[in-house]
Amino acid sequence: MRKTDIAAAWKGLADCKGCGIRDLALFADLTEADFNLIHLPIDVLQVQPGGALYHAGDEPAALFTVRSGLIKLVQYLPSGGQRIVRLLRRGDTAGLEAVLGQPYQHSAIAIHPVLTCRIPRAVIQRLSDETPRLHQQLMRRWQQAVERADAFLVELGTGGARARVARLFLILAGEDPRGECDLFGREDVGAMLGITTETASRMVAELKRQGAVTELRPNRFRCDREALHAIADEP
């Protein structure tokens, strides 16, 4: 990992046993005895927007659990462009390739400020060898990654541009009780949906005019889920 990409790097050791998102994270099933097997520090890192956890092709030194914020997994194209292949949020794991010792397949870039736990590969290897609980979680994470990649391709890679943008808003709003979400730069929106930056800007403006989304402040939106679902179903 390139340390210069971590904006405010080391925050301290993670308290894995007392972690507020432990039920969502990679160590969810570990017992007290399992935690005693961890002999390397698990660092808590803050990454500012645009900072990278790792780049495609880097040697796999660690896995990362996202505690807060939003990360894009970017694939760079021969043409010089980029395609965002997946989004990672609270509780997700980045860098699963490290389990197999393979170079990272994508670049993991923070879209919003990110708080993450950096788990050294050696910790994962030892726990995977000595406790079946982590091995089972790793298998679940692989399956989850495959399912999300498929869903990402179907939901955000098919249909018209307006429908794709509507689906993106619905994904970002998630289960927020107020239907609110933070969007990001239109260039990223375009790279995620396979449309141009100009088209992304035009579609967001159109959804605002129609009242399907309301911009509360720059790039902070309240979503009308019913209206967005109707648009998302358009061919």
Side-chain angles (χ1 to χ4, degrees), residues 160-169 189 193 195 200 203-204 207:
R162 194 168 75 134
R164 296 186 195 191
V165 174
R167 292 176 202 146
L168 176 60
F169 271 113
V189 172
L193 304 182
I195 59 180
M203 293 301 103
V204 171
L207 293 179

Side-chain angles (χ1 to χ4, degrees), residues 39-55:
H39 296 300
L40 289 174
I42 295 174
D43 298 338
V44 181
L45 305 174
Q46 287 183 334
V47 187
Q48 296 305 313
L53 297 181
Y54 53 80
H55 292 276

Side-chain angles (χ1 to χ4, degrees), residues 30-215:
L30 297 192
T31 65
E32 184 80 23
D34 296 331
F35 281 109
N36 291 333
L37 297 171
I38 300 176
H39 296 300
L40 289 174
I42 295 174
D43 298 338
V44 181
L45 305 174
Q46 287 183 334
V47 187
Q48 296 305 313
L53 297 181
Y54 53 80
H55 292 276
D58 284 354
E59 288 302 310
L63 280 73
F64 300 82
T65 290
V66 183
R67 298 181 66 164
S68 64
L70 192 65
I71 291 172
K72 60 181 179 179
L73 295 184
V74 180
Q75 184 176 51
Y76 293 100
L77 307 176
S79 63
Q82 61 171 295
R83 187 70 192 268
I84 298 172
V85 299
R86 201 155 71 250
L87 294 175
L88 302 179
R89 59 185 73 197
R90 185 173 180 263
D92 286 340
T93 303
L96 281 168
E97 304 94 318
V99 177
L100 302 178
Q102 297 179 352
Y104 297 117
Q105 295 180 1
H106 311 102
S107 295
I109 312 294
I111 295 179
H112 301 147
V114 166
L115 188 67
T116 180
C117 293
R118 181 184 184 275
I119 309 170
R121 182 185 168 204
V123 169
I124 297 298
Q125 288 177 319
R126 182 174 187 190
L127 287 171
S128 186
D129 289 342
E130 299 194 29
T131 169
R133 285 170 287 277
L134 183 67
H135 181 75
Q136 291 166 1
Q137 270 288 345
L138 285 169
M139 293 304 100
R140 292 192 197 108
R141 297 282 159 162
W142 279 113
Q143 180 63 26
Q144 184 184 72
V146 171
E147 290 175 352
R148 287 192 176 180
D150 289 346
F152 199 88
L153 179 64
V154 172
E155 292 183 29
L156 301 183
T158 60
R162 194 168 75 134
R164 296 186 195 191
V165 174
R167 292 176 202 146
L168 176 60
F169 271 113
L170 288 169
I171 290 171
L172 293 176
E175 298 178 0
D176 185 272
R178 295 170 297 183
E180 293 184 10
C181 67
D182 292 309
L183 195 60
F184 28 86
R186 304 304 180 259
E187 183 177 356
D188 275 345
V189 172
M192 191 174 301
L193 304 182
I195 59 180
T196 66
T197 302
E198 293 74 16
T199 298
S201 297
R202 192 168 65 252
M203 293 301 103
V204 171
E206 185 173 330
L207 293 179
K208 288 167 60 177
R209 284 197 301 272
Q210 293 177 334
V213 296
T214 301
E215 191 163 17

Side-chain angles (χ1 to χ4, degrees), residues 20-33:
I21 64 161
R22 184 180 157 193
D23 60 324
L24 302 176
L26 188 60
F27 289 174
D29 299 333
L30 297 192
T31 65
E32 184 80 23

